[in-house]
Amino acid sequence: MDEYAEAVIGDKKILGVYIRGTDYITTNILGVSKQASVPDMVPMIRKWMDEYSFDGIFLATEDEGILRDMRAEFGSLVKIVA
């Protein structure tokens, strides 16, 4: 894992973002907060990227649509473990 982290992240300053997808949205578990959508999260991610001078975003998700939407917003700044 250390070798992978070094290859993907290196000495860059990376913002970690975890966005649950289909599994979380479709279960409708009572008493659990609703996951924010990518459009809901983009303004805060942009704020953090600017405010803290992050070099990229490490995205944790199991949802292909979330990955697609994040890449549409942030392009090659989005890094994942595939």
Side-chain angles (χ1 to χ4, degrees), residues 4 8 19 38 42 46 57 59 61 63-82:
Y4 184 80
V8 173
I19 307 176
V38 171
V42 165
R46 287 195 187 283
I57 300 165
L59 176 64
T61 189
D63 190 291
E64 186 67 31
I66 288 171
L67 173 59
R68 181 188 61 244
D69 293 348
M70 286 290 289
R71 284 204 167 139
E73 287 290 335
F74 299 103
S76 63
L77 292 176
V78 177
K79 312 295 183 204
I80 63 164
V81 175

Side-chain angles (χ1 to χ4, degrees), residues 32-50:
V32 176
S33 299
K34 183 180 181 220
Q35 171 68 44
S37 67
V38 171
D40 292 335
M41 296 178 79
V42 165
M44 185 58 68
I45 293 170
R46 287 195 187 283
K47 178 181 180 230
W48 289 332
M49 293 293 289
D50 292 340

Side-chain angles (χ1 to χ4, degrees), residues 9-50:
I9 298 171
D11 60 353
K12 296 179 180 119
K13 188 173 178 181
I14 303 294
L15 172 64
V17 177
Y18 177 42
I19 307 176
R20 292 195 59 184
T22 308
D23 74 322
Y24 187 79
I25 295 166
T26 59
T27 56
N28 293 320
I29 301 169
L30 294 175
V32 176
S33 299
K34 183 180 181 220
Q35 171 68 44
S37 67
V38 171
D40 292 335
M41 296 178 79
V42 165
M44 185 58 68
I45 293 170
R46 287 195 187 283
K47 178 181 180 230
W48 289 332
M49 293 293 289
D50 292 340

